[in-house]
Amino acid sequence: MGKRVALVLAGCGVFDGSEIHEASAALVHLSRGGAEVKIFAPNIEQRDVVNHLKGSPTEEKRNVLVESARLARGNIQDLAELKASEFDAVIFPGGFGVAKNLCSWAVDGKNCTVNEHVNFTLQAFHSAKKPIGLCCISPVLAAKVFPGCEVTVGQDKDVDGRFPDAETASAIVELGCKHICKNVNESHVDKANKIVTTCAFMCKAPLHEIFDGIGTMVQEVLKLA
């Protein structure tokens, strides 16, 4: 029987929700790994709604769970209903929705607060010694909730202009965590905490390299599960 994995979304669309390519990549690799997946998202209002054509905020109001249902093809549950006892692992794709809706990193940086259901979910899986996979910006959730953990968001310097958000690594270190520099096609495994991270779109890289990096994260999560 395949591993039971919960996938937590933050909306639909890179600028105000989950990064669609990352969510899809995680689902493809989980499917290939024989995992049984259920998808969740918090039933809350988005921090903002961004016109993805213009890249600017609008006056609309949207719900994170309702928007995430687009990616889940309608088969999704409220994050408040997630029980760690029913799963072997949990995975968080990235996207600005993580930093806006799952926590307030986009506004408050390392002084952010984490949504109560997201925090509860992370704590529950960690306490049960079940693996947690995170990609792109979502490793900041682990850095905020688990001081001292090891994560990667790619490189800590903007190497060749490929890591424009390299300062995120410094903020992670300021939270008392260890940042491990990795390339886009790699992931890092914090064996002590069972946290697996990869940088994904924190790196300006071809889509197939991001897809492969997420694949290594998913494979490591399934190995630990």
Side-chain angles (χ1 to χ4, degrees), residues 163-174:
F163 294 90
D165 301 303
E167 71 277 1
T168 304
S170 300
I172 286 169
V173 172
E174 288 174 23

Side-chain angles (χ1 to χ4, degrees), residues 42-196:
N43 186 9
I44 57 174
E45 189 175 289
Q46 291 185 187
R47 178 174 290 274
D48 64 6
V49 177
V50 176
N51 179 322
H52 279 57
L53 180 62
K54 296 180 178 178
S56 56
T58 71
E59 296 301 315
E60 286 184 68
K61 301 293 183 186
R62 296 193 185 186
N63 178 279
V64 174
L65 179 59
V66 172
E67 290 302 297
S68 297
R70 294 173 179 270
L71 281 169
R73 298 172 62 88
N75 190 6
I76 193 168
Q77 294 173 258
D78 186 341
L79 182 61
E81 299 172 6
L82 195 163
K83 295 180 177 64
S85 60
E86 297 177 357
F87 294 90
D88 301 304
V90 64
I91 288 177
F92 290 77
F96 276 98
V98 172
K100 292 179 176 182
N101 304 325
L102 303 192
C103 72
S104 62
W105 187 278
V107 176
D108 303 318
K110 64 184 176 64
N111 297 315
C112 71
T113 56
V114 177
N115 170 273
E116 61 175 321
H117 297 299
V118 173
N119 184 65
F120 182 83
T121 297
L122 289 166
Q123 295 281 9
F125 277 84
H126 188 259
S127 296
K129 297 187 176 358
K130 294 180 177 181
I132 300 166
L134 310 111
C135 64
C136 193
I137 190 63
S138 64
V140 302
L141 295 172
K144 187 67 181 180
V145 176
F146 308 118
C149 71
E150 299 176 358
V151 298
T152 187
V153 289
Q155 301 292 322
D156 56 10
K157 295 182 178 60
D158 186 10
V159 182
D160 299 326
R162 298 176 76 228
F163 294 90
D165 301 303
E167 71 277 1
T168 304
S170 300
I172 286 169
V173 172
E174 288 174 23
L175 284 170
C177 299
K178 186 172 183 180
H179 179 265
I180 310 298
C181 291
K182 290 284 183 178
N183 291 321
V184 67
N185 59 346
E186 300 175 310
S187 56
H188 176 70
V189 181
D190 177 347
K191 293 180 180 177
N193 290 293
K194 290 194 172 182
I195 295 171
V196 188

